[in-house]
């Protein structure tokens, strides 16, 4: 069935993952006739069917997610699908006759949006659907109420999907989870206590018929980088040849000021994560969310870059679009085949990801293909690749994958002209990307548009309900956008050289003795491992150094 198992490590990674899973749920169709055509999205790639102990049939993500204690908001490990029958939930009668006290933490209250989702379920279960569209169009002020990723989550997860790292508390100023080695040690302690890998990972992995790969979202600026690396090291021992695509995601607002001690710890965390995730992954994409001081992306969307609820939605849309070929019924491409095609040199495992969100196209199929290449003055393509010192451009592209989605089979005709169709527009776009003279190119087009559920931020402007450009639409009509055409551009290129070279240069002058916390615990960083990390970065730099002759 070409299954994919998803792994999420860290609070912001779970923000990204929540948007991802909400978009998957938006693809679902219900009450279709038996003769209806099959969905273009193969849901079994990411979801698993199951039955609860009470006999309830379920369809939940094939997912493991990890966060710190207190980082889950209102989400419970045991949701109402998996609750035991009322009789079994009652406390056993105690034989203790003395005085007893119960200390319970006040539960995190659900916001208005989550309350409305519960009401929506009741409407569906009682077949009272007249008011359902009101729920779909109402503004729930999520910008003001989202504090945790669970505040806009639409999914039910299997209890084995939800994993709490009990050793650390979310946003604990006195014991922060901010060191790579803390993550390595936390994984060791977590496995000793709960044996999560054997109990939970194997539960999802071993039920797959023909797993095509693993997609990983992880923070790399803090301790979760170390936790993820330890997890993938064990995973790679179990699946030595299976594709692993890792996204190392950093929220821009998490950065400490340059020159501060905390900044150099973050750099060291990213350097250690980069070298090890590159080793254990088939492809590694370091991603940095856009900075709040950047100019507006384009005329058609306006996110608040200080809100993780907004910035995570952009990253999620890029990942969801770039990985769409793995879940498609037609023109299916496996994760392994795409990565092998892009990394045809064998030693270039770092990628860069760009996104046109939305792909600016009118109802008539009008699109300026020249603006789809990322340049200094072009704000149509948002570059999400990580950089430590200003902008970076690729002079040589070894491999690229372009995914264009949401083009209708036929556009509206302009006066006196034949209507344009999706094949024509896609051909024009792909021809423009062919001009980059990439060593290897993969082009994928589908009319499956990017869905905009009501959990998504209200960030679009001048778009009609189909996400097509319409400058006559007033700004206050943003709520009417239900889907948008999107383009993702994944490259393996010399752009990665700049990032790696910046990391290596900083580590060259970094004194590990000033950061003794990295040496703590059984999995503490040794001086030899630090020097090895630095040398590995220089070796990776050499692999990505510009050499146009290497394309032939």
């Amino acid at each position: 069935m070409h299954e994919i198992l998803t792994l999420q490590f860290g609070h912001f990674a779970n923000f990204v993952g929540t948007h991802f899973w909400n978009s998957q749920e938006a693809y679902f169709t219900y009450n279709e006739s038996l003769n209806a055509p099959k969905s273009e999205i193969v849901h079994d790639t990411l979801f698993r069917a199951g039955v609860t102990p009470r006999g309830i049939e379920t369809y939940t993500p094939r997912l493991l997610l990890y966060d710190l204690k207190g980082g889950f908001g209102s989400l419970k490990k045991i949701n109402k699908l998996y609750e035991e029958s009322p009789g079994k939930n009652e406390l056993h009668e105690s034989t203790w006759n003395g005085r007893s006290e119960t200390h319970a933490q006040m539960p995190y209250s659900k916001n208005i949006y989550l309350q409305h989702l519960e009401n929506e379920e009741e409407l569906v279960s009682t077949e009272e659907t007249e008011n359902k569209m009101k729920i779909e169009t109402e503004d729930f002020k999520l910008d003001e109420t989202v504090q945790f990723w669970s505040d806009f989550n639409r999914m039910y997860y299997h209890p084995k999907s939800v994993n709490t790292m009990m050793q650390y508390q979310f946003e604990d100023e006195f014991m922060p989870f901010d060191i790579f080695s803390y993550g390595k040690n936390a994984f060791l302690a977590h496995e000793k206590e709960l044996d999560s890998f054997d109990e939970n990972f194997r539960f999802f992995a071993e039920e797959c018929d023909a797993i095509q790969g693993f997609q990983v979202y992880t923070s790399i600026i803090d301790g979760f980088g170390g936790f993820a690396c330890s997890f993938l090291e064990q995973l790679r021992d179990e699946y030595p040849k299976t594709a692993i695509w890792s996204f190392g995601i950093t929220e821009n607002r998490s950065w400490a000021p340059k020159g501060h001690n905390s900044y150099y710890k973050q750099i060291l965390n990213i350097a250690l994560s980069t070298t090890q995730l590159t080793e254990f992954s088939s492809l590694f994409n370091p991603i940095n969310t856009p900075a709040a001081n950047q100019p507006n992306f384009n005329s058609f969307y306006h996110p608040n870059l200080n809100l993780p609820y907004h910035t995570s939605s952009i990253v999620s849309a890029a990942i969801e679009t770039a990985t769409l070929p793995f879940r498609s019924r037609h023109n299916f491409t496996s994760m392994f085949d795409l990565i092998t095609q892009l990394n045809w040199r064998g030693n270039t495992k770092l990628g860069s990801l760009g996104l046109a969100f939305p792909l600016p196209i009118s109802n008539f199929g009008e699109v300026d293909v020249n603006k789809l290449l990322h340049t200094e003055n072009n704000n149509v393509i948002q570059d999400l690749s990580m950089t430590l010192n200003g902008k970076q451009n690729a002079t040589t592209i070894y491999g690229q994958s372009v995914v264009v989605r949401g083009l209708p089979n036929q556009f509206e005709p302009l006066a006196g002209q034949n209507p344009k169709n999706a094949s024509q527009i896609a051909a024009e776009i792909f021809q423009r990307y062919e001009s980059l003279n990439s060593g290897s190119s993969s082009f994928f087009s589908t009319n499956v548009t990017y869905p905009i559920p009501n959990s998504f931020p209200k960030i679009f402007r001048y778009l009609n309900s189909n996400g097509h450009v319409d400058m006559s639409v007033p700004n206050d009509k943003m709520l009417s956008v239900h889907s948008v055409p999107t383009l993702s551009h994944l490259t393996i290129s010399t752009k990665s050289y700049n990032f790696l070279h910046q990391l290596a240069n900083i580590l060259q002058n970094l004194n590990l003795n000033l950061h003794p916390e990295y040496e703590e615990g059984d999995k503490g960083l040794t001086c030899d491992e630090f020097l090895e990390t630095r040398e590995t970065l220089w070796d990776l730099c050499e692999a990505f150094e510009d050499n146009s002759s290497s394309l032939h």
Side-chain angles (χ1 to χ4, degrees), residues 120-271:
E120 184 182 36
E121 287 187 4
E122 293 179 7
L123 290 174
V124 173
S125 63
T126 59
E127 297 184 357
E128 297 176 7
T129 58
E130 292 183 6
N131 296 322
K132 187 177 178 182
M133 288 307 297
K134 181 181 177 183
I135 295 176
E136 289 299 321
T137 57
E138 187 172 340
D139 182 8
F140 298 102
K141 308 297 182 184
L142 288 173
D143 288 1
E144 290 82 23
T145 63
V146 168
Q147 299 182 49
F148 296 89
W149 49 267
S150 60
D151 288 332
F152 61 99
N153 169 60
R154 296 180 58 91
M155 298 297 301
Y156 284 118
Y157 300 111
H158 190 282
K160 289 184 180 293
S161 289
V162 181
N163 297 274
T164 304
M165 295 171 56
M166 302 298 293
Q167 305 97 322
Y168 289 87
Q169 186 77 27
F170 177 64
E171 291 188 338
D172 188 340
E173 295 181 1
F174 300 101
M175 190 179 171
F177 190 57
D178 61 346
I179 301 296
F180 181 88
S181 304
Y182 292 175
K184 299 280 255 186
N185 288 313
F187 177 81
L188 189 64
H190 189 83
E191 290 306 300
K192 283 182 178 179
E193 181 179 352
L194 300 174
D195 204 12
S196 172
F197 191 92
D198 276 339
E199 289 293 325
N200 298 342
F201 172 77
R202 294 188 196 282
F203 171 80
F204 291 105
E206 293 182 356
E207 69 179 5
C208 297
D209 293 330
I211 191 166
Q212 64 166 303
F214 303 90
Q215 58 183 13
V216 182
Y217 314 150
T218 182
S219 169
I220 58 174
I221 202 172
D222 53 24
F224 275 106
F227 192 95
C229 288
S230 290
F231 193 104
L232 290 196
E233 183 178 15
Q234 193 162 338
L235 188 158
R236 186 50 90 191
D237 286 341
E238 299 274 337
Y239 294 85
K241 296 182 179 180
T242 306
I244 302 175
W245 190 349
S246 297
F247 298 90
I249 306 167
T250 299
E251 188 185 5
N252 195 282
R253 70 181 188 130
S254 300
W255 281 100
K258 287 187 177 181
H260 286 214
N261 184 57
S262 296
Y263 173 77
Y264 291 110
K265 289 195 292 187
Q266 291 173 337
I267 290 291
L268 185 51
N269 291 337
I270 289 174

Side-chain angles (χ1 to χ4, degrees), residues 260-391:
H260 286 214
N261 184 57
S262 296
Y263 173 77
Y264 291 110
K265 289 195 292 187
Q266 291 173 337
I267 290 291
L268 185 51
N269 291 337
I270 289 174
L272 291 163
S273 297
T274 296
T275 55
Q276 295 188 29
L277 288 174
T278 302
E279 177 185 356
F280 301 132
S281 306
S282 310
L283 179 63
F284 173 56
N285 268 88
I287 289 176
N288 198 35
T289 64
N293 59 1
Q294 288 182 209
N296 295 342
F297 298 162
N298 58 47
S299 303
F300 310 113
Y301 77 138
H302 191 261
N304 184 340
L305 298 180
N306 289 310
L307 295 180
Y309 168 57
H310 281 210
T311 54
S312 60
S313 72
I314 300 166
V315 175
S316 179
I319 294 174
E320 206 275 341
T321 299
T323 59
L324 190 59
F326 310 152
R327 310 186 298 277
S328 295
R329 192 172 303 278
H330 301 96
N331 300 322
F332 164 79
T333 301
S334 74
M335 185 185 297
F336 179 87
D337 287 345
L338 178 63
I339 293 175
T340 301
Q341 180 181 352
L342 299 181
N343 182 27
W344 53 271
R345 300 172 76 220
N347 62 345
T348 49
K349 295 167 65 176
L350 266 77
S352 302
L353 190 56
L355 178 71
F357 190 56
L359 172 63
I361 190 167
S362 73
N363 276 341
F364 308 105
E366 299 167 305
V367 58
D368 187 348
V369 296
N370 292 316
K371 289 186 177 181
L372 296 180
L373 301 184
H374 181 76
T375 63
E376 187 172 346
N377 298 318
N378 175 24
N379 58 2
V380 170
I381 294 288
Q382 179 64 41
D383 183 10
L384 297 176
S385 59
M386 183 171 287
T387 176
L388 303 176
N389 186 22
K391 296 186 177 182

